[in-house]
Amino acid sequence: MPLIQQDLATIDPIVLDELTARGLFAEVLRLDKVHPVISGNKWFKLQFYLQEAIQTNKKHILTYGGPWSNHLVATAAACNELGLQCTGIVRGEWPKQLTPPLKQAASWGMKIEFISRSDYSMQKRKHSSTQSDLLIIPEGGYGNLGVKGASTLFSLLPGKSYTHVLCAVGTGTMLAGLSATAPENCQCIGIPVLNGAKALEEAIQLQTNFDTVNWKLETGFEWGGYAKHPTQLIQFMNSFFKKTKIPTDIVYTGKLFYAFTQLVERNYFEKNSRILLIHSGGLQGNQSLTANQLEFS
Ligand SMILES: *Cc1c(COP(=O)(O)O)cnc(C)c1O
């Protein structure tokens, strides 16, 4: 299933004066480069679900997401390439106009259905896999197969050694996968981009369940909640791009890299730390901004 080009995921150094001054070394794994639409971590979380669909001869994928879901877009594009039908169930009422991500998902052939928020969690359980040609993927690729997929990320880093790996956290599936295969003495640090870290922590615990806890969440970088992006965040993204040439997105990686620079400033990392940041993609989400807000695209 070579939908994406893993070898396009470069590992780039992050060169910033504040790092050098503190004796820190940082790199970024550019998952944003592997595919223009099936961005970043979404492919890694989807791969084993898709494999299962093909192996068990399922013709139809059904999955869930919000109106700004990168997961729905990625699933739609992947199904399109693999010749699978797909349906995306979206929380909320039919809007006058579809959001750009949903438009994109629909353009890849995804059938979009809206259900009210109150029905959403109920409905999630109702769609059972009794329909024999249907494979259901949980929202965000959450679940064992998603974690298994994300745990393959370390295979992109042969011969590398880090003391810390940082990633943005939505459902926490990527963080759980990283934590499953992180080498000894490597801390996995998740930066939640939505409010409600307590629930997230519990969800991630369910997905990890190992003796040694090698992960934690650092909160306080939500910027008001999911997909909220005040002007100061946009300003940070612009100035970070100017300094590093790394483009970030408003929902996930902008908040991740901001958190990183803040943690550095607080002397969170000991001297000689070797830090890897996962650029998990999501850049197409910037299309929801009005023109000229970002100095890159
Ligand atoms: C979905 C997504 C995440 C969050 O991944 P989870 O496994 O849900 O925590 C992070 N970054 C980007 C760009 C995403 O699209």
Side-chain angles (χ1 to χ4, degrees), residues 15-294:
V15 183
L16 287 171
D17 293 342
E18 19 330 1
L19 297 177
T20 325
R22 289 174 175 81
L24 302 175
F25 173 79
E27 290 184 318
V28 53
L29 175 63
R30 295 288 302 272
L31 297 182
D32 56 308
K33 293 183 175 177
V34 298
H35 191 286
V37 181
I38 312 177
S39 87
N41 72 349
K42 293 297 181 280
W43 159 254
F44 290 88
K45 295 195 291 179
L46 281 172
Q47 57 184 322
F48 290 111
Y49 288 107
L50 297 172
Q51 205 179 70
E52 177 161 309
I54 289 165
Q55 280 168 0
T56 58
N57 210 18
K58 309 269 199 236
K59 299 277 186 282
H60 191 159
I61 302 276
L62 182 140
T63 191
Y64 301 85
W68 297 96
S69 171
N70 290 338
H71 166 72
L72 289 182
V73 181
T75 305
C79 288
N80 179 63
E81 286 196 32
L82 293 169
L84 297 166
Q85 284 178 50
C86 66
T87 302
I89 309 275
V90 184
R91 273 185 307 265
E93 308 297 324
W94 269 100
K96 286 213 183 75
Q97 242 199 334
L98 289 180
T99 55
L102 293 184
K103 250 190 218 154
Q104 218 179 4
S107 78
W108 290 106
M110 178 175 264
K111 188 168 161 246
I112 308 277
E113 287 175 16
F114 284 87
I115 62 177
S116 72
R117 277 166 192 280
S118 53
D119 284 348
Y120 186 75
S121 43
M122 227 171 59
Q123 187 77 11
K124 260 197 196 171
R125 272 171 255 133
K126 220 169 82 187
H127 268 292
S128 70
S129 354
T130 46
Q131 215 175 315
S132 64
D133 69 339
L134 185 70
L135 182 94
I136 296 177
I137 302 180
E139 181 168 2
Y142 182 83
N144 292 340
L145 289 179
V147 172
K148 184 177 162 196
S151 73
T152 66
L153 284 172
F154 271 105
S155 70
L156 300 179
L157 306 162
K160 292 281 186 178
S161 123
Y162 299 103
T163 53
H164 304 80
V165 175
L166 268 73
C167 70
V169 168
T171 61
T173 310
M174 172 168 51
L175 181 64
L178 288 169
S179 128
T181 42
E184 224 178 305
N185 303 324
C186 178
Q187 261 281 356
C188 302
I189 299 167
I191 309 295
V193 302
L194 63 170
N195 297 324
K198 195 93 207 109
L200 261 178
E201 204 142 43
E202 283 162 18
I204 298 168
Q205 248 148 27
L206 285 175
Q207 294 284 4
T208 50
N209 210 4
F210 310 115
D211 298 340
T212 46
V213 177
N214 61 353
W215 63 272
K216 63 171 154 178
L217 300 179
E218 289 299 338
T219 57
F221 306 106
E222 300 82 9
W223 293 85
Y226 189 72
K228 295 265 162 51
H229 49 275
T231 321
Q232 293 96 309
L233 179 63
I234 308 277
Q235 278 164 359
F236 166 78
M237 290 163 60
N238 280 330
S239 95
F240 189 74
F241 179 77
K242 237 180 236 153
K243 290 186 213 162
T244 63
K245 293 285 164 280
I246 299 171
T248 52
D249 79 288
I250 51 174
V251 183
Y252 292 100
T253 53
K255 294 179 183 180
L256 167 70
F257 284 93
Y258 177 78
F260 170 62
T261 57
Q262 290 299 299
L263 292 174
V264 166
E265 223 161 85
R266 292 180 204 163
N267 294 315
Y268 179 92
F269 303 101
E270 275 172 39
K271 194 173 170 200
N272 296 326
S273 292
R274 297 174 59 82
I275 306 151
L276 177 75
L277 286 101
I278 310 282
H279 193 313
S280 39
L283 296 175
Q284 84 282 353
N286 289 342
Q287 287 166 10
S288 64
L289 293 174
T290 51
N292 302 329
Q293 278 181 282
L294 288 175

